[in-house]
């Protein structure tokens, strides 16, 4: 099958979702019916199908779904077992694609946004943490950042390590880039400058 248009929608889509065996990816703008929760989603979650959901706010899937929030999700889409991609079609219908190019493009879009989106309900950084991220991403040393913030170098290093963990970053430069993507940096902060030593950053040592 290359593509099939589901003109009625819900019954056909529920049937397709019921065939899932490993994973369902959900992109939801929050405005269309395509990515809304269904009873079949609860059934899938009970039988061990993994759900990963990207949405701009609340999403009413039952416990078991992994949900991350993004300020803006570009489209509604579903990917079933990385074999089918379901996209909006005309007249409130859905188009089901089995073409590898369409499926892989939809998965790549999902993964790109997923990588920089925080889990729903994740603790947001404090004002001081935002200031520290801005200083470190601009190339400040631990010592200069401590001086600017009026805290100890040890506190800078401990806070930086905690922020890197929360951002899933392996270096401070990567942490700065991910913080920028999530909107954690104060307005007007320059792009992260790759001037810090990755080895020193990973070890939590100042230059």
């Amino acid at each position: 099958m290359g593509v099939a248009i589901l003109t009625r929608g819900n019954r056909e889509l529920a049937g397709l979702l019921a065939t899932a065996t490993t994973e369902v990816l959900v992109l939801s703008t929050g405005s269309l019916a395509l990515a809304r929760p269904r009873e079949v989603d609860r059934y899938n979650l009970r039988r061990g199908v993994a759900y990963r959901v990207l949405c701009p706010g609340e999403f009413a899937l039952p416990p078991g779904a992994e949900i991350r929030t993004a300020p803006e999700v570009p489209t509604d889409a579903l990917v079933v077992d990385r074999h089918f991609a379901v996209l909006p079609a005309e007249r409130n219908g859905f188009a089901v694609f089995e073409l590898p190019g369409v499926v892989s493009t939809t998965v790549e879009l999902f993964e790109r946004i997923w990588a920089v989106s925080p889990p729903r309900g994740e603790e947001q950084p404090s004002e001081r943490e935002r200031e520290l991220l801005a200083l470190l991403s601009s190339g400040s040393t631990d010592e200069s950042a401590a001086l600017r913030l009026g805290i100890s170098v040890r506190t800078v290093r401990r806070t930086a390590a905690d922020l890197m963990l929360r951002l899933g970053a392996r270096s401070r430069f990567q942490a700065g880039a991910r913080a920028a993507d999530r909107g954690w940096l104060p307005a007007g902060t320059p792009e992260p400058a790759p001037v810090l030593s990755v080895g020193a950053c990973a070890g939590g040592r100042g230059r």
Side-chain angles (χ1 to χ4, degrees):
M1 179 182 70
V3 57
I5 303 297
L6 309 182
T7 55
R8 292 185 297 276
N10 288 328
R11 180 178 297 178
E12 293 87 346
L13 184 54
L16 177 63
L17 284 166
T19 69
T21 59
T22 57
E23 180 185 54
V24 175
L25 307 180
V26 181
L27 283 158
S28 175
T29 64
S31 61
L32 294 179
L34 170 58
R36 69 176 176 80
R38 295 172 170 80
E39 184 59 37
V40 67
D41 298 316
R42 297 176 175 84
Y43 166 73
N44 282 343
L45 284 161
R46 286 196 300 269
R47 62 189 182 90
V49 177
Y51 270 69
R52 288 195 289 153
V53 180
L54 276 170
C55 56
E58 291 299 315
F59 198 88
L61 277 178
E66 186 177 1
I67 302 175
R68 294 190 181 186
T69 57
E72 183 177 352
V73 178
T75 186
D76 287 88
L78 300 171
V79 179
V80 180
D81 290 339
R82 305 203 175 204
H83 189 64
F84 297 103
V86 186
L87 302 173
E90 294 180 358
R91 298 186 297 276
N92 297 319
F94 310 126
V96 181
F97 294 86
E98 196 176 7
L99 295 169
V102 176
V103 175
S104 62
T105 297
T106 307
V107 171
E108 288 169 7
L109 173 64
F110 179 93
E111 296 291 1
R112 186 166 63 250
I113 302 173
W114 181 268
V116 297
S117 299
R120 187 171 67 180
E122 178 183 78
E123 179 186 359
Q124 294 297 302
S126 67
E127 190 61 35
R128 174 169 287 181
E129 288 174 330
R130 291 177 189 272
E131 292 174 357
L132 177 58
L133 279 167
L135 290 170
L136 296 179
S137 67
S138 66
S140 294
T141 64
D142 292 347
E143 290 76 11
S144 62
L147 185 62
R148 287 282 300 274
L149 296 175
I151 58 180
S152 69
V153 173
R154 183 176 180 179
T155 298
V156 166
R157 292 172 181 165
R158 184 175 62 248
T159 304
D162 176 66
L163 288 166
M164 287 172 61
L165 181 64
R166 286 158 62 184
L167 289 161
R170 296 185 178 182
S171 70
R172 290 184 184 177
F173 173 64
Q174 186 181 48
R178 292 190 175 185
D181 287 334
R182 294 189 186 184
W184 283 14
L185 298 181
T189 302
E191 288 296 314
V195 298
L196 294 174
S197 164
V198 173
C201 293
R205 298 188 299 272
R207 293 188 297 156

